[in-house]
Short mmCIF file of all heavy atoms in Angstrom, two decimals:
data_model
loop_
_atom_site.label_atom_id
_atom_site.label_comp_id
_atom_site.label_asym_id
_atom_site.label_seq_id
_atom_site.Cartn_x
_atom_site.Cartn_y
_atom_site.Cartn_z
N MET A 20 72.63 104.53 72.78
CA MET A 20 72.53 103.73 73.98
C MET A 20 71.10 103.21 74.13
O MET A 20 70.24 104.02 74.20
CB MET A 20 72.91 104.53 75.25
CG MET A 20 73.05 103.61 76.58
SD MET A 20 73.24 104.65 77.95
CE MET A 20 74.72 105.54 77.46
N ASN A 21 70.90 101.84 74.22
CA ASN A 21 69.60 101.32 74.33
C ASN A 21 69.32 100.71 75.63
O ASN A 21 68.03 100.49 76.01
CB ASN A 21 69.41 100.30 73.14
CG ASN A 21 69.43 100.96 71.81
OD1 ASN A 21 68.90 102.10 71.52
ND2 ASN A 21 70.11 100.39 70.89
N THR A 22 70.30 100.28 76.36
CA THR A 22 70.12 99.62 77.63
C THR A 22 70.83 100.44 78.69
O THR A 22 71.98 101.00 78.48
CB THR A 22 70.55 98.17 77.55
OG1 THR A 22 71.80 98.09 77.28
CG2 THR A 22 69.65 97.34 76.63
N CYS A 23 70.39 100.31 79.89
CA CYS A 23 70.94 100.99 81.01
C CYS A 23 72.31 100.38 81.47
O CYS A 23 72.49 99.24 81.53
CB CYS A 23 70.00 100.92 82.18
SG CYS A 23 70.68 101.77 83.76
N TYR A 24 73.30 101.21 81.75
CA TYR A 24 74.60 100.74 82.20
C TYR A 24 74.56 100.04 83.40
O TYR A 24 75.20 99.00 83.68
CB TYR A 24 75.53 101.92 82.36
CG TYR A 24 76.89 101.67 82.73
CD1 TYR A 24 77.85 101.22 81.84
CD2 TYR A 24 77.30 101.87 84.08
CE1 TYR A 24 79.24 100.89 82.24
CE2 TYR A 24 78.56 101.57 84.52
CZ TYR A 24 79.45 101.12 83.60
OH TYR A 24 80.73 100.91 83.99
N TYR A 25 73.58 100.42 84.27
CA TYR A 25 73.49 99.95 85.62
C TYR A 25 72.65 98.69 85.81
O TYR A 25 73.17 97.60 86.33
CB TYR A 25 73.02 100.89 86.66
CG TYR A 25 74.00 102.16 86.72
CD1 TYR A 25 73.72 103.29 85.92
CD2 TYR A 25 75.18 102.04 87.50
CE1 TYR A 25 74.62 104.30 86.02
CE2 TYR A 25 75.99 103.13 87.57
CZ TYR A 25 75.64 104.30 86.76
OH TYR A 25 76.59 105.24 86.72
N CYS A 26 71.50 98.76 85.17
CA CYS A 26 70.52 97.61 85.43
C CYS A 26 70.08 96.93 84.09
O CYS A 26 69.31 95.99 84.16
CB CYS A 26 69.40 98.08 86.13
SG CYS A 26 68.21 99.11 85.19
N LYS A 27 70.57 97.37 83.00
CA LYS A 27 70.24 96.75 81.67
C LYS A 27 68.74 96.99 81.36
O LYS A 27 68.25 96.34 80.44
CB LYS A 27 70.56 95.23 81.66
CG LYS A 27 71.94 94.88 82.13
CD LYS A 27 72.99 95.56 81.16
CE LYS A 27 74.34 94.95 81.72
NZ LYS A 27 75.49 95.83 81.16
N GLY A 28 68.17 98.01 81.89
CA GLY A 28 66.84 98.27 81.64
C GLY A 28 66.68 99.11 80.32
O GLY A 28 67.78 99.46 79.79
N ASP A 29 65.65 99.27 79.83
CA ASP A 29 65.38 100.09 78.60
C ASP A 29 65.52 101.52 78.87
O ASP A 29 65.14 102.10 79.87
CB ASP A 29 63.93 99.83 77.97
CG ASP A 29 63.71 98.42 77.55
OD1 ASP A 29 64.69 97.71 77.10
OD2 ASP A 29 62.54 97.88 77.62
N ILE A 30 66.20 102.21 77.77
CA ILE A 30 66.38 103.62 77.83
C ILE A 30 65.45 104.31 77.00
O ILE A 30 65.08 103.81 75.89
CB ILE A 30 67.77 103.99 77.37
CG1 ILE A 30 68.89 103.32 78.17
CG2 ILE A 30 67.98 105.50 77.26
CD1 ILE A 30 69.00 103.83 79.58
N GLU A 31 64.87 105.36 77.50
CA GLU A 31 63.86 106.15 76.61
C GLU A 31 64.35 107.68 76.70
O GLU A 31 64.88 108.10 77.61
CB GLU A 31 62.44 105.92 77.11
CG GLU A 31 62.22 106.55 78.49
CD GLU A 31 60.79 106.51 79.01
OE1 GLU A 31 60.02 105.92 78.24
OE2 GLU A 31 60.43 107.07 80.09
N ARG A 32 63.82 108.39 75.73
CA ARG A 32 63.91 109.85 75.83
C ARG A 32 63.02 110.35 76.78
O ARG A 32 61.82 109.91 76.86
CB ARG A 32 63.53 110.54 74.46
CG ARG A 32 64.67 110.23 73.33
CD ARG A 32 65.94 110.63 73.67
NE ARG A 32 66.34 112.01 73.43
CZ ARG A 32 67.48 112.51 73.70
NH1 ARG A 32 68.54 111.77 74.03
NH2 ARG A 32 67.77 113.73 73.38
N ALA A 33 63.39 111.34 77.58
CA ALA A 33 62.53 111.99 78.52
C ALA A 33 62.95 113.41 78.62
O ALA A 33 64.02 113.85 78.33
CB ALA A 33 62.70 111.24 79.85
N ARG A 34 61.92 114.17 79.14
CA ARG A 34 62.31 115.53 79.57
C ARG A 34 62.16 115.69 81.04
O ARG A 34 61.06 115.37 81.59
CB ARG A 34 61.19 116.51 78.84
CG ARG A 34 61.52 116.65 77.26
CD ARG A 34 60.82 117.68 76.59
NE ARG A 34 61.14 117.77 75.17
CZ ARG A 34 62.13 118.52 74.73
NH1 ARG A 34 62.95 119.17 75.56
NH2 ARG A 34 62.54 118.58 73.44
N ILE A 35 63.17 116.23 81.57
CA ILE A 35 63.36 116.34 83.00
C ILE A 35 63.65 117.69 83.43
O ILE A 35 63.88 118.54 82.61
CB ILE A 35 64.37 115.24 83.65
CG1 ILE A 35 65.77 115.80 83.11
CG2 ILE A 35 64.05 113.92 83.23
CD1 ILE A 35 66.90 115.19 83.91
N GLU A 36 63.56 117.89 84.74
CA GLU A 36 63.91 119.18 85.39
C GLU A 36 65.29 118.88 86.11
O GLU A 36 65.32 118.00 86.81
CB GLU A 36 62.87 119.69 86.22
CG GLU A 36 61.67 120.12 85.50
CD GLU A 36 60.51 120.62 86.48
OE1 GLU A 36 60.58 120.24 87.54
OE2 GLU A 36 59.66 121.35 85.95
N HIS A 37 66.24 119.67 85.71
CA HIS A 37 67.62 119.46 86.12
C HIS A 37 68.12 120.56 86.90
O HIS A 37 68.03 121.75 86.51
CB HIS A 37 68.50 119.12 84.97
CG HIS A 37 69.97 118.73 85.18
ND1 HIS A 37 70.21 117.59 85.71
CD2 HIS A 37 71.06 119.52 85.13
CE1 HIS A 37 71.61 117.54 85.99
NE2 HIS A 37 72.04 118.68 85.48
N MET A 38 68.87 120.23 88.04
CA MET A 38 69.55 121.30 88.81
C MET A 38 71.09 121.31 88.42
O MET A 38 71.72 120.34 88.61
CB MET A 38 69.41 121.01 90.35
CG MET A 38 68.03 121.11 90.73
SD MET A 38 67.40 122.74 90.99
CE MET A 38 68.28 123.22 92.45
N ALA A 39 71.44 122.32 87.77
CA ALA A 39 72.75 122.39 87.20
C ALA A 39 73.71 123.36 88.22
O ALA A 39 73.18 124.37 88.71
CB ALA A 39 72.86 123.02 85.84
N ARG A 40 74.81 122.79 88.53
CA ARG A 40 75.70 123.64 89.39
C ARG A 40 76.17 124.93 88.78
O ARG A 40 76.79 124.85 87.72
CB ARG A 40 76.94 122.74 89.79
CG ARG A 40 77.78 123.28 90.86
CD ARG A 40 77.17 123.15 92.25
NE ARG A 40 78.09 123.71 93.14
CZ ARG A 40 78.91 122.98 93.84
NH1 ARG A 40 79.06 121.62 93.59
NH2 ARG A 40 79.72 123.46 94.78
N ALA A 41 76.08 126.03 89.36
CA ALA A 41 76.58 127.25 88.93
C ALA A 41 77.68 127.83 89.86
O ALA A 41 77.94 127.11 90.97
CB ALA A 41 75.38 128.29 88.81
N ARG A 42 78.12 129.08 89.58
CA ARG A 42 79.23 129.44 90.41
C ARG A 42 78.83 129.66 91.83
O ARG A 42 79.57 129.28 92.78
CB ARG A 42 79.71 130.83 89.84
CG ARG A 42 80.55 130.81 88.54
CD ARG A 42 81.15 132.09 88.30
NE ARG A 42 80.21 133.18 88.23
CZ ARG A 42 79.57 133.56 87.10
NH1 ARG A 42 79.81 132.71 85.92
NH2 ARG A 42 78.66 134.46 86.96
N ASP A 43 77.62 130.24 92.04
CA ASP A 43 77.24 130.54 93.41
C ASP A 43 75.84 129.98 93.79
O ASP A 43 75.11 130.46 94.50
CB ASP A 43 77.15 132.06 93.58
CG ASP A 43 76.22 132.69 92.60
OD1 ASP A 43 75.81 132.03 91.69
OD2 ASP A 43 76.00 133.94 92.74
N GLY A 44 75.61 128.66 93.26
CA GLY A 44 74.46 128.06 93.57
C GLY A 44 74.02 127.06 92.50
O GLY A 44 74.94 126.41 91.90
N TYR A 45 72.75 126.95 92.22
CA TYR A 45 72.23 126.05 91.21
C TYR A 45 71.38 126.81 90.26
O TYR A 45 70.77 127.67 90.64
CB TYR A 45 71.56 124.88 91.81
CG TYR A 45 72.42 123.97 92.62
CD1 TYR A 45 72.76 124.20 93.90
CD2 TYR A 45 73.10 122.86 92.00
CE1 TYR A 45 73.73 123.29 94.57
CE2 TYR A 45 73.94 121.99 92.58
CZ TYR A 45 74.24 122.25 93.91
OH TYR A 45 75.03 121.39 94.63
N VAL A 46 71.34 126.37 89.03
CA VAL A 46 70.38 126.74 88.04
C VAL A 46 69.49 125.71 87.65
O VAL A 46 69.88 124.67 87.40
CB VAL A 46 71.19 127.36 86.78
CG1 VAL A 46 70.19 127.67 85.70
CG2 VAL A 46 72.04 128.52 87.17
N PHE A 47 68.22 126.05 87.61
CA PHE A 47 67.14 125.13 87.35
C PHE A 47 66.91 125.01 85.80
O PHE A 47 66.54 126.07 85.29
CB PHE A 47 65.86 125.64 88.07
CG PHE A 47 64.90 124.47 88.25
CD1 PHE A 47 65.22 123.34 88.93
CD2 PHE A 47 63.51 124.73 87.95
CE1 PHE A 47 64.32 122.33 89.17
CE2 PHE A 47 62.60 123.74 88.17
CZ PHE A 47 62.99 122.62 88.77
N VAL A 48 67.12 123.89 85.27
CA VAL A 48 66.99 123.71 83.69
C VAL A 48 65.65 122.97 83.65
O VAL A 48 65.59 121.84 84.07
CB VAL A 48 68.11 123.04 83.13
CG1 VAL A 48 67.96 122.99 81.66
CG2 VAL A 48 69.45 123.62 83.57
N ARG A 49 64.75 123.63 82.87
CA ARG A 49 63.59 122.95 82.61
C ARG A 49 63.48 122.33 81.32
O ARG A 49 64.21 122.77 80.35
CB ARG A 49 62.30 124.05 82.60
CG ARG A 49 62.08 124.57 84.06
CD ARG A 49 60.74 125.43 84.02
NE ARG A 49 60.51 125.69 85.39
CZ ARG A 49 61.04 126.95 85.95
NH1 ARG A 49 61.95 127.63 85.24
NH2 ARG A 49 60.69 127.26 87.19
N ASN A 50 62.68 121.29 81.12
CA ASN A 50 62.51 120.61 79.85
C ASN A 50 63.77 120.18 79.22
O ASN A 50 64.10 120.37 78.01
CB ASN A 50 61.71 121.49 78.90
CG ASN A 50 60.30 121.56 79.17
OD1 ASN A 50 59.73 120.57 79.56
ND2 ASN A 50 59.75 122.72 78.94
N LEU A 51 64.71 119.66 80.13
CA LEU A 51 65.93 119.17 79.49
C LEU A 51 65.76 117.77 78.92
O LEU A 51 65.24 116.89 79.54
CB LEU A 51 66.96 119.01 80.69
CG LEU A 51 68.41 118.54 80.35
CD1 LEU A 51 69.04 119.60 79.48
CD2 LEU A 51 69.23 118.23 81.63
N SER A 52 66.16 117.62 77.69
CA SER A 52 65.88 116.36 76.97
C SER A 52 67.10 115.37 77.24
O SER A 52 68.24 115.68 76.93
CB SER A 52 65.89 116.67 75.42
OG SER A 52 65.62 115.50 74.66
N VAL A 53 66.78 114.34 77.73
CA VAL A 53 67.86 113.33 78.22
C VAL A 53 67.39 111.92 77.89
O VAL A 53 66.24 111.74 77.36
CB VAL A 53 68.16 113.44 79.69
CG1 VAL A 53 68.63 114.87 80.19
CG2 VAL A 53 66.85 112.99 80.40
N GLU A 54 68.23 111.06 78.02
CA GLU A 54 67.93 109.62 77.90
C GLU A 54 67.78 109.11 79.37
O GLU A 54 68.66 109.42 80.20
CB GLU A 54 68.90 108.79 77.18
CG GLU A 54 68.83 109.24 75.72
CD GLU A 54 69.85 108.44 74.86
OE1 GLU A 54 70.92 108.22 75.33
OE2 GLU A 54 69.54 107.99 73.72
N ARG A 55 66.75 108.30 79.64
CA ARG A 55 66.48 107.97 81.00
C ARG A 55 66.12 106.51 81.03
O ARG A 55 65.34 106.01 80.18
CB ARG A 55 65.44 108.80 81.73
CG ARG A 55 65.31 108.38 83.23
CD ARG A 55 64.27 109.38 83.85
NE ARG A 55 62.92 109.37 83.08
CZ ARG A 55 61.85 110.15 83.42
NH1 ARG A 55 61.98 111.10 84.24
NH2 ARG A 55 60.82 109.97 82.71
N CYS A 56 66.56 105.80 82.01
CA CYS A 56 66.31 104.30 82.18
C CYS A 56 64.78 104.21 82.69
O CYS A 56 64.45 104.80 83.71
CB CYS A 56 67.34 103.66 83.17
SG CYS A 56 66.85 101.89 83.60
N THR A 57 64.01 103.31 82.02
CA THR A 57 62.72 103.19 82.52
C THR A 57 62.56 102.25 83.78
O THR A 57 61.55 102.21 84.39
CB THR A 57 61.89 102.52 81.45
OG1 THR A 57 62.46 101.32 81.08
CG2 THR A 57 61.71 103.38 80.17
N GLN A 58 63.70 101.68 84.01
CA GLN A 58 63.72 100.78 85.23
C GLN A 58 64.13 101.38 86.45
O GLN A 58 63.61 101.34 87.56
CB GLN A 58 64.47 99.52 84.86
CG GLN A 58 64.32 98.23 85.85
CD GLN A 58 64.71 97.04 85.11
OE1 GLN A 58 64.20 96.52 84.25
NE2 GLN A 58 65.87 96.48 85.69
N CYS A 59 65.38 101.94 86.49
CA CYS A 59 66.00 102.37 87.69
C CYS A 59 65.92 103.96 87.74
O CYS A 59 66.23 104.62 88.77
CB CYS A 59 67.44 101.88 87.96
SG CYS A 59 68.65 102.58 86.83
N GLY A 60 65.63 104.64 86.58
CA GLY A 60 65.51 106.04 86.60
C GLY A 60 66.97 106.79 86.26
O GLY A 60 66.90 108.06 86.47
N GLU A 61 67.81 106.00 86.17
CA GLU A 61 69.31 106.67 85.88
C GLU A 61 69.04 107.52 84.64
O GLU A 61 68.51 107.12 83.58
CB GLU A 61 70.21 105.54 85.70
CG GLU A 61 71.65 106.18 85.44
CD GLU A 61 72.34 106.82 86.68
OE1 GLU A 61 71.85 106.45 87.76
OE2 GLU A 61 73.23 107.58 86.43
N VAL A 62 69.68 108.74 84.75
CA VAL A 62 69.60 109.77 83.77
C VAL A 62 70.93 109.85 83.02
O VAL A 62 71.95 109.92 83.69
CB VAL A 62 69.14 111.04 84.28
CG1 VAL A 62 69.43 112.18 83.26
CG2 VAL A 62 67.71 111.06 84.78
N TYR A 63 70.82 109.86 81.70
CA TYR A 63 72.10 109.95 80.89
C TYR A 63 72.09 111.23 80.13
O TYR A 63 71.20 111.53 79.31
CB TYR A 63 72.24 108.78 79.99
CG TYR A 63 72.38 107.35 80.68
CD1 TYR A 63 71.25 106.72 80.89
CD2 TYR A 63 73.64 107.03 80.95
CE1 TYR A 63 71.41 105.49 81.54
CE2 TYR A 63 73.79 105.74 81.59
CZ TYR A 63 72.61 104.97 81.90
OH TYR A 63 72.77 103.90 82.66
N LEU A 64 73.13 112.13 80.35
CA LEU A 64 73.18 113.40 79.59
C LEU A 64 73.95 113.22 78.45
O LEU A 64 75.11 112.74 78.34
CB LEU A 64 73.80 114.39 80.52
CG LEU A 64 73.07 114.76 81.85
CD1 LEU A 64 73.83 115.81 82.65
CD2 LEU A 64 71.64 115.17 81.64
N ASP A 65 73.35 113.59 77.24
CA ASP A 65 74.08 113.40 75.82
C ASP A 65 74.68 114.84 75.64
O ASP A 65 74.48 115.83 76.38
CB ASP A 65 73.24 112.80 74.90
CG ASP A 65 71.99 113.71 74.61
OD1 ASP A 65 72.01 114.86 75.03
OD2 ASP A 65 71.12 113.09 73.89
N ALA A 66 75.36 115.00 74.48
CA ALA A 66 75.92 116.27 74.15
C ALA A 66 74.84 117.35 73.99
O ALA A 66 75.15 118.51 74.41
CB ALA A 66 76.68 116.09 72.75
N ALA A 67 73.74 117.05 73.47
CA ALA A 67 72.79 118.07 73.41
C ALA A 67 72.20 118.54 74.74
O ALA A 67 71.97 119.77 74.94
CB ALA A 67 71.61 117.54 72.47
N ALA A 68 72.09 117.60 75.68
CA ALA A 68 71.74 118.02 76.95
C ALA A 68 72.79 118.91 77.68
O ALA A 68 72.51 119.82 78.30
CB ALA A 68 71.46 116.81 77.82
N SER A 69 74.01 118.47 77.40
CA SER A 69 75.14 119.30 78.00
C SER A 69 75.07 120.65 77.48
O SER A 69 75.34 121.60 78.33
CB SER A 69 76.47 118.67 77.61
OG SER A 69 76.55 117.38 78.28
N ARG A 70 74.87 120.81 76.22
CA ARG A 70 74.78 122.25 75.62
C ARG A 70 73.59 122.99 76.21
O ARG A 70 73.76 124.28 76.38
CB ARG A 70 74.60 122.01 74.11
CG ARG A 70 75.88 121.88 73.35
CD ARG A 70 75.83 122.14 71.82
NE ARG A 70 74.83 121.33 71.19
CZ ARG A 70 74.96 120.09 70.68
NH1 ARG A 70 76.19 119.48 70.86
NH2 ARG A 70 74.00 119.49 70.06
N GLN A 71 72.61 122.27 76.36
CA GLN A 71 71.31 123.00 76.99
C GLN A 71 71.62 123.42 78.39
O GLN A 71 71.28 124.49 78.78
CB GLN A 71 70.10 121.98 76.99
CG GLN A 71 68.84 122.62 77.19
CD GLN A 71 67.61 121.63 77.04
OE1 GLN A 71 67.74 120.65 76.49
NE2 GLN A 71 66.59 122.02 77.69
N ILE A 72 72.39 122.72 79.19
CA ILE A 72 72.92 123.03 80.53
C ILE A 72 73.73 124.25 80.49
O ILE A 72 73.57 125.19 81.10
CB ILE A 72 73.48 121.88 81.23
CG1 ILE A 72 72.34 120.80 81.48
CG2 ILE A 72 74.06 122.37 82.60
CD1 ILE A 72 72.96 119.44 82.00
N ASP A 73 74.80 124.17 79.50
CA ASP A 73 75.67 125.27 79.35
C ASP A 73 75.03 126.59 79.05
O ASP A 73 75.31 127.66 79.55
CB ASP A 73 76.65 125.00 78.33
CG ASP A 73 77.67 123.92 78.78
OD1 ASP A 73 77.72 123.69 79.94
OD2 ASP A 73 78.39 123.25 77.91
N ALA A 74 74.03 126.43 78.08
CA ALA A 74 73.27 127.67 77.70
C ALA A 74 72.42 128.30 79.01
O ALA A 74 72.38 129.41 79.04
CB ALA A 74 72.24 127.29 76.58
N ALA A 75 71.91 127.36 79.73
CA ALA A 75 71.14 127.80 80.90
C ALA A 75 72.03 128.49 81.93
O ALA A 75 71.79 129.49 82.52
CB ALA A 75 70.43 126.62 81.65
N LEU A 76 73.29 127.96 82.05
CA LEU A 76 74.28 128.58 83.01
C LEU A 76 74.68 130.01 82.41
O LEU A 76 74.80 130.97 83.19
CB LEU A 76 75.52 127.65 83.08
CG LEU A 76 75.20 126.33 83.86
CD1 LEU A 76 76.42 125.42 83.81
CD2 LEU A 76 74.85 126.67 85.29
N ASP A 77 74.87 130.04 81.10
CA ASP A 77 75.20 131.39 80.47
C ASP A 77 74.10 132.36 80.79
O ASP A 77 74.43 133.64 81.01
CB ASP A 77 75.45 131.19 79.10
CG ASP A 77 76.73 130.44 78.64
OD1 ASP A 77 77.56 130.42 79.64
OD2 ASP A 77 76.98 130.08 77.58
N ASP A 78 72.88 131.91 80.71
CA ASP A 78 71.81 132.87 80.92
C ASP A 78 71.58 133.26 82.24
O ASP A 78 70.78 134.14 82.73
CB ASP A 78 70.49 132.24 80.35
CG ASP A 78 70.52 132.12 78.87
OD1 ASP A 78 71.33 132.83 78.23
OD2 ASP A 78 69.64 131.38 78.21
N ALA A 79 72.18 132.47 83.27
CA ALA A 79 71.87 132.48 84.64
C ALA A 79 72.10 133.96 85.30
O ALA A 79 71.36 134.42 86.10
CB ALA A 79 72.61 131.50 85.55
N ASP A 80 73.20 134.54 84.81
CA ASP A 80 73.48 135.89 85.30
C ASP A 80 72.39 136.85 85.18
O ASP A 80 72.17 137.75 86.06
CB ASP A 80 74.75 136.45 84.67
CG ASP A 80 75.95 135.71 85.12
OD1 ASP A 80 75.81 135.17 86.17
OD2 ASP A 80 76.98 135.78 84.38
N SER A 81 71.52 136.77 84.04
CA SER A 81 70.38 137.71 83.86
C SER A 81 69.09 137.13 84.18
O SER A 81 68.02 137.80 84.08
CB SER A 81 70.56 138.26 82.38
OG SER A 81 70.35 137.05 81.62
N ALA A 82 68.99 135.94 84.54
CA ALA A 82 67.77 135.33 84.77
C ALA A 82 67.19 135.74 86.11
O ALA A 82 67.89 136.02 87.08
CB ALA A 82 67.92 133.71 84.87
N GLN A 83 65.83 135.91 86.12
CA GLN A 83 65.19 136.31 87.24
C GLN A 83 64.94 135.10 88.23
O GLN A 83 64.61 135.24 89.33
CB GLN A 83 63.77 136.88 86.87
CG GLN A 83 63.90 138.16 86.03
CD GLN A 83 64.61 139.28 86.80
OE1 GLN A 83 64.25 139.50 87.92
NE2 GLN A 83 65.48 139.93 86.17
N GLU A 84 64.92 133.81 87.67
CA GLU A 84 64.58 132.72 88.33
C GLU A 84 65.69 131.99 89.07
O GLU A 84 65.52 130.82 89.34
CB GLU A 84 63.68 131.95 87.53
CG GLU A 84 64.41 131.42 86.39
CD GLU A 84 63.51 130.47 85.57
OE1 GLU A 84 62.38 130.32 85.85
OE2 GLU A 84 63.88 130.04 84.48
N ARG A 85 66.82 132.53 89.06
CA ARG A 85 67.90 131.86 89.70
C ARG A 85 67.53 131.56 91.14
O ARG A 85 67.09 132.34 91.95
CB ARG A 85 69.15 132.76 89.67
CG ARG A 85 70.32 132.03 90.51
CD ARG A 85 71.42 133.06 90.57
NE ARG A 85 72.06 133.32 89.43
CZ ARG A 85 73.41 133.57 89.30
NH1 ARG A 85 74.20 133.39 90.29
NH2 ARG A 85 73.88 133.89 88.12
N LEU A 86 67.90 130.34 91.49
CA LEU A 86 67.61 129.83 92.79
C LEU A 86 68.79 130.15 93.86
O LEU A 86 69.95 129.93 93.34
CB LEU A 86 67.36 128.33 92.94
CG LEU A 86 66.15 128.02 92.07
CD1 LEU A 86 65.96 126.44 92.11
CD2 LEU A 86 64.93 128.66 92.48
N GLN A 87 68.60 130.60 94.84
CA GLN A 87 69.63 130.86 95.82
C GLN A 87 69.76 129.81 96.76
O GLN A 87 69.19 129.63 97.80
CB GLN A 87 69.40 132.21 96.62
CG GLN A 87 69.36 133.34 95.81
CD GLN A 87 70.66 133.62 94.99
OE1 GLN A 87 71.72 133.31 95.69
NE2 GLN A 87 70.72 134.15 93.81
N VAL A 88 70.44 128.77 96.32
CA VAL A 88 70.55 127.51 97.12
C VAL A 88 71.99 127.50 97.63
O VAL A 88 72.87 127.40 96.87
CB VAL A 88 70.24 126.25 96.20
CG1 VAL A 88 70.51 124.90 97.17
CG2 VAL A 88 68.80 126.32 95.69
N PRO A 89 72.16 127.41 98.92
CA PRO A 89 73.47 127.42 99.43
C PRO A 89 74.16 126.13 99.00
O PRO A 89 73.62 125.01 98.96
CB PRO A 89 73.33 127.35 101.00
CG PRO A 89 71.92 127.76 101.09
CD PRO A 89 71.19 127.37 99.91
N VAL A 90 75.54 126.19 98.63
CA VAL A 90 76.26 125.04 98.28
C VAL A 90 76.66 124.37 99.58
O VAL A 90 77.41 124.97 100.37
CB VAL A 90 77.41 125.46 97.53
CG1 VAL A 90 78.34 124.25 97.19
CG2 VAL A 90 77.00 126.18 96.27
N VAL A 91 76.30 123.15 99.72
CA VAL A 91 76.76 122.40 100.88
C VAL A 91 78.17 121.82 100.78
O VAL A 91 78.58 121.29 99.83
CB VAL A 91 75.82 121.22 101.00
CG1 VAL A 91 76.26 120.38 102.32
CG2 VAL A 91 74.34 121.70 101.20
ZN1 LIG B 17 68.59 101.21 84.85
#
């Protein structure tokens, strides 16, 4: 993907911090490699990013840094 689905802006690789939904809150994923629109900031998660999120969720049970964020 080279252009944004929404605004047709340029897409670039970026590393972001992502809040992934977990069973009882959210897990903070650091250095998530994604594609992001340089114009509107829309983030596109590819297969590798999805795997990275899944791995973070798997680790969440033993992680010390799990955030206790109430689910709204
Ligand atoms: Zn865009």
